[in-house]
Amino acid sequence: MSTDRFVTLREPLRNEQEIKRSRFIACLYPVSTAQQARDHIAELRKEFYDARHRPSAFVLGAGRTEARTSDDGEPAGTAGAPMLQALVAHQTSPAQRELSDVLAVVVRYFGGIKLGAGGLTRAYGGAVSEALTHAQLIVRQRMQLMDVHLPLGEAGAIEASLRNSTLRVVATRWTSTEGIVQVAHAPGDDEETRESIAALTSGLARVSDAGSEWTSHKL
């Protein structure tokens, strides 16, 4: 999985299913830290205080560098693990499974009929998979930044040309001696971006690296 791009939820959602009289309420949240995930889990414990089980699973980071599960009293391996598997196996686009920064909690109200280990595994994993079919997703991508330094006298006209091009201009600032236009590009597009800037500015620009930032856009 790429460390410069992943897919996550645009907003929280809930989806409920009934399986053999038990209610399974899947609650999904976008999260960026383990503490955020723990806070949501604590909130759900208060909201669904009378539920028998509230197992959880979350996966974090580009590259999915952190993941945690909890069976919350269900037989070991029958709840948190299949929920996590449903998250990482979800197909976010054709042939792509890039979902991360997501917490899943499935609240279960026992209906009196035991499901067995296999039934629980299918129910918990299926509750998350079904909820994900209703999710609105966004792409999080790390973009490289460049500062394009322009002579003050030509900066206004050149900035307009840059904004009207295919380059992504994210900011402009001015000093007493120059205009500085910040441009973002995908990792790996450094040389192509520099060539475009040189052509659009007739070689008048001085380009410097300006780090990187995470951006969001629709899937």
Side-chain angles (χ1 to χ4, degrees), residues 16 36 53 76 90 102 117 120 137 147 154 163 166 169 213:
E16 182 172 340
Q36 285 183 0
H53 303 288
H90 182 66
V102 176
L120 287 172
L137 303 177
D147 279 344
E154 291 83 7
R163 288 187 178 277
T166 58
V169 175
E213 68 175 9

Side-chain angles (χ1 to χ4, degrees), residues 20 38 49 63 66 86 89 130 137 149 152 172 178-179 181 203 213 217:
K20 292 185 178 180
R38 288 190 289 266
Y49 65 92
E66 184 175 0
E130 171 63 23
L137 303 177
H149 301 260
L152 194 59
T172 301
E178 64 180 2
V181 180
E213 68 175 9
H217 59 85

Side-chain angles (χ1 to χ4, degrees), residues 81-96:
M83 291 165 59
L84 178 62
Q85 178 60 26
L87 292 177
V88 300
H90 182 66
Q91 187 165 289
T92 54
S93 58
Q96 296 295 321

Side-chain angles (χ1 to χ4, degrees), residues 149-153 155 172-180 206:
H149 301 260
L150 302 169
L152 194 59
T172 301
R173 62 187 188 275
W174 307 90
T175 72
S176 61
T177 59
E178 64 180 2
I180 304 171
R206 178 175 62 85

Side-chain angles (χ1 to χ4, degrees), residues 187-206:
D189 290 346
D190 186 274
E191 184 176 351
E192 181 180 346
T193 303
R194 288 176 182 271
E195 291 175 353
S196 296
I197 291 170
L200 289 164
T201 63
S202 301
L204 293 174
R206 178 175 62 85

